[in-house]
Amino acid sequence: MTSLHKGILASSASVLACIFATAAAAQTAQDQEPVPGEIIVTGARPIAESESLALRIQRASDSLVTVAAADGVGRLPDQNIAQAASRLPGIAVERDQGQARYISLRGAPNYWTTLSFDGITVVSPEGRDARFDSIPSAIASQIVVSKAVTPDMTGETVAGNVNVITRSAFDYKGAHFAGKAGYGIAELGERKQYEVSAVASDRFRVGGGEIGVLVSGSYFQRGMITDNFETDYERVSQDARPGNATRFWAAEAENKLYRLTRRNWSASGRVDYKPDDRNTISLRSIYTIFKDDEARDNYRFDLDDRQSDLVANTADCARDVNPTPTTTGYADVCIGNTPQKGTIYGIDIRQRSTLRAFRQSIFTNSLVGEHDIAPGWHLSWAGNYTESKDDRSVVGELSWDSPSTRTLRPTVAYDFSDPNRSRLMLYTTNQLSSPTRYSAGTRVVAIDTFTKPASSLTVLDAVDTTKAYTGRVVLARETRFLGSDATLKAGFQFDQRTKVADEKQILVNTAAGLTAIGVPTSYTDFSLGDPFAGKIPMDYTFRYFDTDKMRTVANAARSQFAFTPNTANNYDVRERVYAGYVMGTLRYDWGSILGGVRVERLENRGKAVATLGAATGPVTASSSQTLAFPSLHINYNVDTTKKLRLSFNSGAARADYDQMRPNVVINDTNQVISGGNPAVKPERAYGVDGYFEWYVRPQGYLMAGLFYKRVEDVLYRQSRTFGSNALDSNGIDRSSYVFTGITNGGDGRIFGAEAAAQLQLEPWTGSLGLPDWMGGFGISANVTLNDSQVTKPAIGAVPSRKVRLPGTSDLIYNVGGYYEKYGLSLRVQYQRRSDWLDTIADDLTDAGDTYWAADEEMDISARYAITRRFEIYADVQNVLNQPGRRYSEPGNLLTATGTPTPTIKAQTIEWERFGRRYAAGIRLTF
């Protein structure tokens, strides 16, 4: 742990001590008076009431949990589950296009977190990396985040589980309706935002029993413009001059200029039947859709296009600027170029106009029964069918490439010295008297004045479908055992998940074919005259492509050409899990003990078409393994308001389904290749937790804790340039694509500390001599620090080395201040997550390991209840408008190879910003 983190931890401890001391003094004063009744959840005090309900739930839990509960109107404060959960202690999120998507618990990798609906684990459309942005918060009454794993959770739960508790008609006394409608606008491009949601329920007497019916629906749409630049660095073998060991050159620089419309739909229904007070049968269905319509104008400057012009030479040379070199200038220090600044003559523009219709959906259906079958005996059962779809289709992608004549190509003066800006100045390229010498001509601002004929059109239909079946039976017995009131449980669960990737495409890459489908010879005739809608400083102007014209040529291609299966990208992976567990909860006057073991039998089978040289054929791979997951949780009541929690738990993160396929997957749009590894082993983890909780009367919460996990057979993604032409086809060179594959590394560990506080002045204004209006102030704050380290095995000449656990942040904290009184509710929420490791490099080919820089977010929300049933609200999101930045850091890898390491500035490889968003609307409840 660095000195900075130690200092922050010490400061946090001091602040926490002050909070504890203040709370203790206030608690002493409070205990001298009668304790007020519990806060009743009505919706009049949404923040305080929902926090009160959440604290009652987590206090009663026999394991370590944290809870976000909806207020009396039946809502959470954020649009999706990831954003709503991010306010809780120890939770960080990873974002896409500025929108919270993945959840990381206590800084751990996101694939350590599982997702479930009402206790039934649900497979995300992407696979094991549970995506939470596709789940609207409108369907939830509570989000229960378990940080300590119990035997009734699936064995792939390592860091914890996010359980979305859906609403029931029995949550309300009778007929109930709540609705919301809102409108917003984005700062970048003034794109619009719309939101509407509603829930309706009622209860009906049927014979001697009762039926509860609830339906809900939501729709959320947001238009977006994204500022972006990306730079890919590499080692250049021809750069052999002194100092080359620490030089990494930009092989490609690009701007990805997005126009996006994202939509979320959800529809859910639930019917609960209670024939009597001993039996309940429930039918639950949830359908959610996340749709991303993306128009991407991608300008790629192929800086290393003529890398071979540079001849390797180990002799030193003058580093003076030479404006008329015999090479293109790429990686040539002898003309004054450096990795940060220089000029390259006659480079290729590889332009892509891409229109995507991305769509992810989850359709989950559960039939659940709860039965008191005899005094002290309880039987529960559940059956679930879930179908998840990941539609990665591309409506059309047109490629436009510079001709081979260098005088028709641009000369580029680049400047990458500012980590938050990529400067690319364009000039014409002049031919000098010598046929190998060129110079920069006049400055060009409009990039589309350079000749770039269309070279290919791709139409892609790609849908991954995952079908999952779950059956579960649990028998529980209430009895006396070892001097306690005990609940003993035995359960069996069967899961089968089958993921099928079906991908096919049309590729038109001849001049005759492009003409036949109506592709113009000039890009100008395919584009719009609209000005750039972003705000990033760019040194050239461009024209957005016309999405209607893209659809026209794509439809023409569909009518004139047949689809061809992308056999290298298709696979069928099936996983079966047979699980059984026993567990017991012993409750004493002083607290409780929960312990047990879960045993899982894993059986995997993968089918695909593999290519080896010129031979292609089907391949099937299978594997099986039996794993045991013991756990023990001890909860000690220090007094009526304080708890100590100790736990031991274990889990095993399994590789994702596509990572276990027996072939490779090629993505030409993003120029990446990923390889499967059917033999990869699960990543085993064993953890201990120690926590102190103080439930301050009448409402408040203080917590401090320590955690440690040992990890074996760490899963990590190898990332490198593919460097082979084995997968080239249809005239596409894939040798420069980035190849990523899953494998097992060495062992490691992660440990850290966590603290949280939730307090409001309302209960103590009198005893502290404060005016009544100050009672509306409250605070919620939490901080998590961790330190992770795993061993990356040796690869070739690169020895083994210590690295962070991928996906882990050393520091996460959330601070929220709010005021609510007299019908007014105001909240300011700030979240910060420190840098985290994204990919681990095997060698120096791709300029080292990559990291995501620290992420900071601030949101402001306000609401005013005009009546008990009608309120208005306003929100400002992404107030700080901080960029997302990914960078490479070769220093650690250079040290591992024994190369001297002078200070190397981290090189930005991706940068994007999204702008602030403003929204307002109304809420109704009856």
Side-chain angles (χ1 to χ4, degrees):
M1 190 176 295
T2 66
S3 58
L4 173 62
H5 292 139
K6 292 178 180 177
I8 293 173
L9 182 58
S11 300
S12 301
S14 300
V15 172
L16 189 62
C18 292
I19 293 175
F20 268 72
T22 303
Q27 181 75 66
T28 300
Q30 186 70 37
D31 286 344
Q32 294 172 356
E33 304 172 1
V35 177
E38 293 187 68
I39 294 177
I40 305 301
V41 178
T42 65
R45 302 282 301 279
I47 300 174
E49 293 169 5
S50 58
E51 284 186 353
S52 176
L53 175 60
L55 292 177
R56 288 201 301 272
I57 295 169
Q58 70 185 49
R59 181 179 181 179
S61 174
D62 292 308
S63 62
L64 181 64
V65 301
T66 185
V67 179
D71 64 24
V73 183
R75 65 176 176 88
L76 288 160
D78 302 281
Q79 190 274 327
N80 70 48
I81 293 296
Q83 188 66 31
S86 69
R87 303 176 186 274
L88 296 173
I91 294 181
V93 296
E94 294 180 27
R95 303 176 191 274
D96 179 76
Q97 301 286 353
Q99 192 170 358
R101 172 168 290 182
Y102 302 107
I103 287 178
S104 169
L105 295 182
R106 297 190 295 198
N110 61 49
Y111 61 88
W112 281 13
T113 304
T114 54
L115 164 68
S116 60
F117 289 112
D118 297 315
I120 296 177
T121 302
V122 174
V123 178
S124 171
E126 285 189 354
R128 298 199 203 280
D129 293 349
R131 276 188 59 163
F132 295 86
D133 60 344
S134 61
I135 307 169
S137 60
I139 68 174
S141 66
Q142 300 167 20
I143 304 172
V144 180
V145 181
S146 299
K147 298 178 182 177
V149 182
T150 54
D152 52 352
M153 298 179 189
T154 61
E156 60 188 321
T157 307
V158 178
N161 171 260
V162 178
N163 187 23
V164 179
I165 306 297
T166 61
R167 289 192 293 266
S168 166
F170 291 111
D171 293 339
Y172 311 101
K173 292 182 179 179
H176 171 78
F177 173 84
K180 173 184 178 181
Y183 169 82
I185 191 167
E187 186 176 52
L188 291 185
E190 297 185 354
R191 292 301 177 102
K192 304 300 187 292
Q193 175 176 308
Y194 307 94
E195 182 176 8
V196 61
S197 63
V199 57
S201 68
D202 205 353
R203 298 163 63 164
F204 308 93
R205 288 286 178 184
V206 178
E210 192 174 10
I211 288 179
V213 180
L214 181 145
V215 293
S216 70
S218 68
Y219 176 78
F220 179 77
Q221 176 180 316
R222 58 189 285 176
M224 301 175 64
I225 292 290
T226 302
D227 286 339
N228 168 280
F229 71 83
E230 298 185 21
T231 311
D232 296 329
Y233 290 90
E234 66 179 2
R235 285 292 290 273
V236 177
S237 59
Q238 289 87 348
D239 176 18
R241 307 286 184 180
N244 67 319
T246 58
R247 284 196 293 267
F248 299 87
W249 298 87
E252 183 176 271
E254 61 183 310
N255 286 100
K256 292 180 180 177
L257 305 159
Y258 296 90
R259 292 166 288 161
L260 304 172
T261 301
R262 289 188 163 181
R263 299 177 178 90
N264 284 80
W265 292 273
S266 77
S268 65
R270 177 166 170 168
V271 177
D272 296 289
Y273 175 47
K274 293 186 175 182
D276 51 48
D277 59 2
R278 301 187 311 278
N279 298 278
T280 301
I281 297 176
S282 179
L283 177 62
R284 308 163 189 177
S285 290
I286 300 171
Y287 186 43
T288 71
I289 302 175
F290 172 82
K291 188 173 182 180
D292 186 355
D293 293 319
E294 173 189 302
R296 181 199 302 178
D297 290 270
N298 191 0
Y299 288 86
R300 297 173 175 171
F301 300 90
D302 193 5
L303 305 181
D304 69 346
D305 179 47
R306 295 179 63 90
Q307 176 179 325
S308 60
D309 285 359
L310 182 66
V311 178
N313 192 325
T314 59
D316 206 352
C317 61
R319 308 296 172 94
D320 300 328
V321 175
N322 178 1
T324 60
T326 56
T327 68
T328 64
Y330 180 68
D332 192 349
V333 296
C334 297
I335 66 166
N337 281 354
T338 71
Q340 285 72 46
K341 293 183 180 181
T343 303
I344 304 177
Y345 301 84
I347 64 96
D348 177 24
I349 300 175
R350 294 186 295 147
Q351 179 183 341
R352 301 292 183 270
S353 306
T354 307
L355 183 62
R356 298 183 62 188
F358 181 87
R359 174 173 169 149
Q360 289 193 336
S361 64
I362 299 174
F363 183 38
T364 182
N365 306 272
S366 299
L367 185 62
V368 180
E370 302 284 345
H371 310 279
D372 293 326
I373 55 178
W377 289 90
H378 184 81
L379 175 69
S380 63
W381 52 269
N384 174 269
Y385 169 73
T386 297
E387 182 172 297
S388 300
K389 287 185 177 292
D390 184 9
D391 188 337
R392 303 174 284 105
S393 297
V394 176
V395 175
E397 179 179 83
L398 261 171
S399 298
W400 315 80
D401 291 280
S402 298
S404 58
T405 303
R406 287 177 65 179
T407 53
L408 297 178
R409 296 179 169 196
T411 287
V412 176
Y414 63 89
D415 184 348
F416 305 132
S417 58
D418 184 345
N420 293 306
R421 185 174 179 186
S422 171
R423 300 205 62 175
L424 300 165
M425 308 281 283
L426 308 181
Y427 301 84
T428 58
T429 302
N430 293 336
Q431 172 79 60
L432 300 181
S433 56
S434 169
T436 61
R437 286 185 179 272
Y438 298 84
S439 68
T442 58
R443 171 81 188 278
V444 176
V445 176
I447 190 173
D448 293 321
T449 60
F450 286 104
T451 300
K452 303 186 304 299
S455 58
S456 67
L457 171 75
T458 301
V459 178
L460 178 70
D461 281 358
V463 180
D464 300 344
T465 303
T466 304
K467 296 183 178 181
Y469 302 87
T470 296
R472 183 178 67 197
V473 178
V474 180
L475 183 64
R477 167 68 166 156
E478 301 285 346
T479 186
R480 294 286 298 175
F481 183 69
L482 298 178
S484 72
D485 291 327
T487 301
L488 306 179
K489 290 184 179 180
F492 173 79
Q493 182 168 323
F494 170 75
D495 291 280
Q496 177 173 297
R497 302 164 183 169
T498 304
K499 184 170 186 176
V500 178
D502 183 10
E503 183 174 314
K504 55 188 177 182
Q505 75 171 21
I506 295 171
L507 177 64
V508 183
N509 59 355
T510 65
L514 293 170
T515 300
I517 62 176
V519 176
T521 57
S522 171
Y523 174 72
T524 303
D525 297 330
F526 196 74
S527 61
L528 304 170
D530 299 347
F532 176 45
K535 292 187 176 182
I536 187 174
M538 294 177 63
D539 297 296
Y540 61 88
T541 62
F542 72 100
R543 296 172 63 91
Y544 289 113
F545 77 87
D546 189 326
T547 56
D548 290 335
K549 291 181 178 178
M550 179 67 80
R551 291 188 178 92
T552 298
V553 298
N555 289 335
R558 285 175 177 269
S559 65
Q560 298 182 41
F561 298 91
F563 277 95
T564 301
N566 289 340
T567 55
N569 291 10
N570 295 335
Y571 58 87
D572 178 334
V573 175
R574 186 192 67 200
E575 174 185 68
R576 286 177 175 168
V577 182
Y578 302 86
Y581 72 89
V582 292
M583 61 181 286
T585 304
L586 313 181
R587 297 183 177 87
Y588 299 91
D589 293 339
W590 52 264
S592 66
I593 300 173
L594 186 158
V597 63
R598 183 183 188 92
V599 178
E600 292 187 347
R601 171 70 176 178
L602 314 177
E603 297 180 355
N604 300 314
R605 184 268 297 151
K607 295 180 179 179
V609 175
T611 301
L612 183 61
T616 300
V619 61
T620 300
S622 61
S623 63
S624 62
Q625 191 173 19
T626 301
L627 302 172
F629 306 101
S631 60
L632 179 66
H633 307 265
I634 301 174
N635 305 286
Y636 178 72
N637 298 325
V638 178
D639 58 29
T640 56
T641 62
K642 303 177 186 68
K643 281 180 175 286
L644 281 175
R645 297 186 187 270
L646 302 173
S647 70
F648 164 79
N649 49 84
S650 57
R654 305 198 284 271
D656 214 338
Y657 305 106
D658 64 322
Q659 295 171 336
M660 296 189 297
R661 67 190 183 275
N663 67 339
V664 297
V665 169
I666 302 167
N667 187 319
D668 288 314
T669 299
N670 295 324
Q671 294 196 330
V672 296
I673 301 170
S674 55
N677 183 358
V680 70
K681 294 184 291 185
E683 181 178 75
R684 297 299 306 266
Y686 306 89
V688 292
D689 304 290
Y691 277 71
F692 172 74
E693 298 177 340
W694 184 2
Y695 295 88
V696 182
R697 290 177 178 171
Q699 182 185 3
Y701 176 63
L702 298 171
M703 174 271 285
L706 300 171
F707 57 89
Y708 173 89
K709 283 190 185 296
R710 172 172 170 76
V711 190
E712 300 175 354
D713 296 321
V714 172
L715 293 171
Y716 77 96
R717 292 182 300 156
Q718 294 177 308
S719 183
R720 59 177 174 80
T721 300
F722 187 58
S724 170
N725 298 110
L727 297 178
D728 292 359
S729 63
N730 297 317
I732 300 176
D733 178 6
R734 299 187 174 104
S735 62
S736 63
Y737 285 17
V738 175
F739 173 80
T740 301
I742 196 74
T743 189
N744 292 112
D747 300 339
R749 49 91 179 135
I750 178 172
F751 68 86
E754 185 179 8
Q758 289 179 209
L759 295 168
Q760 188 176 30
L761 277 177
E762 182 70 52
W764 300 311
T765 51
S767 60
L768 297 175
L770 300 175
D772 183 65
W773 65 268
M774 291 190 67
F777 286 104
I779 186 173
S780 61
N782 56 78
V783 59
T784 303
L785 292 99
N786 71 44
D787 184 278
S788 67
Q789 188 179 88
V790 296
T791 300
K792 185 197 178 292
I795 297 290
V798 180
S800 64
R801 57 192 177 100
K802 300 292 186 181
V803 297
R804 293 188 195 179
L805 188 66
T808 61
S809 291
D810 291 349
L811 173 66
I812 303 164
Y813 60 89
N814 298 271
V815 179
Y818 63 86
Y819 181 86
E820 58 173 5
K821 207 168 177 67
Y822 316 117
L824 177 65
S825 178
L826 304 172
R827 184 199 290 262
V828 178
Q829 191 79 23
Y830 172 80
Q831 306 165 15
R832 188 181 193 278
R833 177 181 185 180
S834 66
D835 299 22
W836 70 94
L837 177 63
D838 183 44
T839 61
I840 302 173
D842 285 331
D843 53 41
L844 288 172
T845 302
D846 297 302
D849 304 332
T850 64
Y851 296 80
W852 278 103
D855 177 52
E856 292 183 280
E857 300 287 334
M858 179 181 286
D859 300 323
I860 301 173
S861 60
R863 57 165 271 180
Y864 182 69
I866 297 175
T867 69
R868 290 181 62 249
R869 302 188 184 281
F870 178 73
E871 71 176 37
I872 58 176
Y873 73 90
D875 298 319
V876 184
Q877 295 180 316
N878 194 28
V879 175
L880 301 178
N881 194 22
Q882 293 292 314
R885 176 174 171 261
R886 190 160 56 101
Y887 62 90
S888 61
E889 196 167 80
N892 292 337
L893 192 52
L894 284 166
T895 301
T897 61
T899 304
T901 55
T903 302
I904 300 176
K905 188 175 182 179
Q907 296 167 308
T908 299
I909 59 176
E910 183 175 355
W911 187 100
E912 53 190 3
R913 191 175 354 230
F914 318 100
R916 299 172 184 86
R917 305 190 70 86
Y918 308 90
I922 61 172
R923 292 187 177 95
L924 300 170
T925 182
F926 298 97

